[in-house]
Amino acid sequence: MIVTVTPNPALDLTWHVERIVPGGTHRADTGVARAGGKGLNVARVAHAQGAPVLALATAGGPTGDEFAAELASSGVPHELTPVQGATRRSVALVDEHLGDTTVVNERGVAPTAREWDALRAAVARALATGSPVRDVVDASGSASGRAAVKKIKPVLVLSGSLPPGTPDDLLPSLIRIGRDAGAIVIADTSGPALLAAADAGATVLKPNAAELAEATGIADPIAGACELLHRGASLVLLSRGADGMLAVTSDEIVRARLAEPLAGNPTGAGDAAVAACAVLMAQGEKKPTVLLRRATAWSAAAVLMPLAGEIHPSWPDLESALIVDSPPLTALSRPSTERTPR
Amino acid sequence: MIVTVTPNPALDLTWHVERIVPGGTHRADTGVARAGGKGLNVARVAHAQGAPVLALATAGGPTGDEFAAELASSGVPHELTPVQGATRRSVALVDEHLGDTTVVNERGVAPTAREWDALRAAVARALATGSPVRDVVDASGSASGRAAVKKIKPVLVLSGSLPPGTPDDLLPSLIRIGRDAGAIVIADTSGPALLAAADAGATVLKPNAAELAEATGIADPIAGACELLHRGASLVLLSRGADGMLAVTSDEIVRARLAEPLAGNPTGAGDAAVAACAVLMAQGEKKPTVLLRRATAWSAAAVLMPLAGEIHPSWPDLESALIVDSPPLTALSRPSTERTPR
């Protein structure tokens, strides 16, 4: 069972406008509302690939009602912790002419201490009661039949930003709940929370190069990744945008990339990488190279899709086409081209 | 009783962003949601000035729920006709650095024939049961006591856009309902609906110069206004932005303006003018010059407020400062400076 936690979910609202004139007034067709947030993107991808998933998030206010309704219609299994503060909105205005998107993300409203307790209790409950065995897609990506029923390990995924005012201990406390339940814990976070997640013993961390440098204060990405390993993480998956991804453990450094970068929508690419890692680790996979290949392939396949939380079905071809090597350290110190996701 | 009808209401969402970069990602505090639409702006202004008001609109979907909740908290008496289609959203991104606002208005979803029937029935019911006498603010703007109880005439205000797919007969049918109930009918509309409103015998029409020219195909604003009078209107209030307003009847042409235009927010200025006209006509006032002065003063007082649907309490000073004259026709043919409101 993969349990994803989205501590700062958002109702994502998207409008397409023919050509946006700053300061102007525009007409548009009805916008699309979607339950958003990085943990939900992870859950959507993993669920679509047949993995047993439970998405946990908070929801409050009228936006929370709309968020809950959209999530229910998506079919992704989920449990929402009710909160007083209204679920934040995220606004995307797509300029159809230029093809770019102007985004405004509300910062979000922090739940109360009691509401955070309720979310923590939901996480503990989900990990305790999660079905240990279920039909899943096997590691090759083909649909499994009865023959492919596998033992599923509990995986806890903690993804995305935290509302302003969130106690520093929230993420560490969730990681401890995961570890106490015997779960693999994957954290996708940034800033001081990234170091706190490493200190609390998250199994896998997935920063991008800019996030890693900012959190550790170390410009060199390998040295930064080693800092996270020293603090307590077992695997650092470093996303490098068009340069692919790196897997760094205490034993090895592996790089995976496509020969040519793909054009498309990078939003949600990192979430697809986390989903790949969660799905494989739930199936018992531990080898960094295998995890890295799948994460890089799903990440690339997400770039081909218009919406975050989806991957293109051609991902096995992308995985086959990956260039995977263990490069000399000097080759890895040039700046990454990745954009920082929200 | 003033009954306002908003056939295409919107949940107005506003975010303030420090500096908007097209194509960029921004953080913002929680946006403000407000029940919007021109008829609601008219109702808010008239209600705040003590006039007996009932605001009618449709509401549907989760956005309709939020719209209804905000309207309830505003204290403006209202009755919402439930519809299946979700109430549209309107998005405003305020650039705090430049001071300008980028607006995206959804076009809206047309109600079904049965839902339009229900709205028409609500209008007929409101005009039939509206209390004929109530305490109101008297014409000087001071609060009335028992001594100022006045006979209130029924006024029907039809304001704003129509959702795509609205039957051409909707506005004329609402005007007929108003006339059959003995009400004064004020219509603030544009395009072919403006001509249809004149044909159906709306008492007052309030186009701006661009709307008038577009609807009539006549460049000269006086000739355009006369076309509306010939078709059946009694008074045309022509808003000219910083050039003030004109009142045109079959007998006279009066102009009112401030010596210096005011800087501020023009959104809702036309709605405040309609509110002034509605409040005075409900009190039995018919003189074009008196209506024009109040409409111009409230319109200017709306420019001083950050939100549509509000007027600045200094409006009596603005009214006193107006320059009112009956200019030679040749002075009125230059282009207006008004921006076209949504």
Side-chain angles (χ1 to χ4, degrees), chain A residues 225-308:
Chain A
C226 289
E227 169 69 19
L228 298 182
L229 298 175
H230 289 146
R231 283 172 177 261
S234 301
L235 168 64
V236 176
L237 281 177
L238 186 67
S239 54
R240 313 185 85 224
D243 293 335
M245 298 188 76
L246 288 180
V248 184
T249 69
S250 53
D251 299 322
E252 56 184 322
I253 301 170
V254 194
R255 175 172 67 174
R257 64 191 195 283
L258 288 169
E260 295 289 333
L262 297 171
N265 165 31
T267 308
D271 304 328
V274 169
C277 193
V279 169
L280 284 182
M281 292 183 94
Q283 293 170 9
E285 183 59 61
K286 290 179 179 172
K287 289 191 283 295
T289 303
V290 177
L291 298 172
L292 175 70
R293 289 178 61 93
R294 185 63 46 88
T296 309
W298 284 18
S299 183
V303 170
L304 299 177
M305 301 300 283
L307 289 175

Side-chain angles (χ1 to χ4, degrees), chain A residues 295-322:
Chain A
T296 309
W298 284 18
S299 183
V303 170
L304 299 177
M305 301 300 283
L307 289 175
E310 299 177 357
I311 63 172
H312 198 271
S314 68
W315 68 260
D317 299 332
L318 295 171
E319 187 169 323
S320 303
L322 287 174

Side-chain angles (χ1 to χ4, degrees), chain A:
Chain A
M1 163 77 96
I2 298 166
V3 176
T4 73
V5 181
T6 310
N8 198 17
L11 182 67
D12 285 346
L13 301 169
T14 304
W15 287 272
H16 292 255
V17 179
E18 199 174 305
R19 185 160 198 163
I20 297 172
V21 179
T25 295
H26 313 76
R27 295 250 164 211
D29 287 337
T30 302
V32 175
R34 201 156 185 264
K38 292 172 75 68
L40 286 163
N41 293 340
V42 173
R44 284 180 197 269
V45 170
H47 176 70
Q49 299 301 320
V53 165
L54 182 67
L56 301 181
T58 60
T63 42
D65 293 343
E66 200 167 352
F67 178 95
E70 197 285 321
L71 191 51
S73 75
S74 76
V76 175
H78 61 278
E79 186 186 318
L80 299 176
T81 298
V83 291
Q84 272 295 311
T87 299
R88 68 185 175 130
R89 290 184 174 97
S90 167
V91 174
L93 301 182
V94 182
D95 184 314
E96 297 275 282
H97 181 76
L98 295 176
D100 65 6
T101 302
T102 304
V103 173
V104 176
N105 294 322
E106 291 184 354
R107 293 183 179 88
V109 178
T112 63
R114 193 179 293 257
E115 290 165 349
W116 282 132
D117 284 345
L119 181 65
R120 274 187 281 255
V123 172
R125 206 164 51 237
L127 290 172
T129 62
S131 63
V133 175
R134 214 199 88 169
D135 281 359
V136 291
V137 171
D138 69 18
S140 72
S142 63
S144 66
R146 276 165 181 277
V149 170
K150 295 194 176 177
K151 186 96 177 168
I152 297 294
K153 294 186 188 301
V155 176
L156 176 62
V157 175
L158 308 170
S159 281
S161 67
L162 300 166
T166 300
D168 291 343
D169 187 52
L170 179 79
L171 213 58
S173 70
L174 290 169
I175 292 168
R176 285 193 296 273
I177 290 168
R179 290 175 60 97
D180 290 350
I184 294 155
V185 181
I186 307 177
D188 183 1
T189 185
S190 59
L194 180 59
L195 299 184
D199 290 337
T203 322
V204 181
L205 296 171
K206 194 223 66 65
N208 62 37
E211 290 166 343
L212 183 61
E214 191 215 334
T216 61
I218 302 169
D220 178 69
I222 303 302
C226 289
E227 169 69 19
L228 298 182
L229 298 175
H230 289 146
R231 283 172 177 261
S234 301
L235 168 64
V236 176
L237 281 177
L238 186 67
S239 54
R240 313 185 85 224
D243 293 335
M245 298 188 76
L246 288 180
V248 184
T249 69
S250 53
D251 299 322
E252 56 184 322
I253 301 170
V254 194
R255 175 172 67 174
R257 64 191 195 283
L258 288 169
E260 295 289 333
L262 297 171
N265 165 31
T267 308
D271 304 328
V274 169
C277 193
V279 169
L280 284 182
M281 292 183 94
Q283 293 170 9
E285 183 59 61
K286 290 179 179 172
K287 289 191 283 295
T289 303
V290 177
L291 298 172
L292 175 70
R293 289 178 61 93
R294 185 63 46 88
T296 309
W298 284 18
S299 183
V303 170
L304 299 177
M305 301 300 283
L307 289 175
E310 299 177 357
I311 63 172
H312 198 271
S314 68
W315 68 260
D317 299 332
L318 295 171
E319 187 169 323
S320 303
L322 287 174
I323 302 164
V324 180
D325 56 7
S326 289
L329 289 183
T330 50
L332 298 169
S333 296
R334 65 196 171 91
S336 160
T337 58
E338 182 171 53
R339 299 192 204 172
T340 302
R342 85 155 191 247

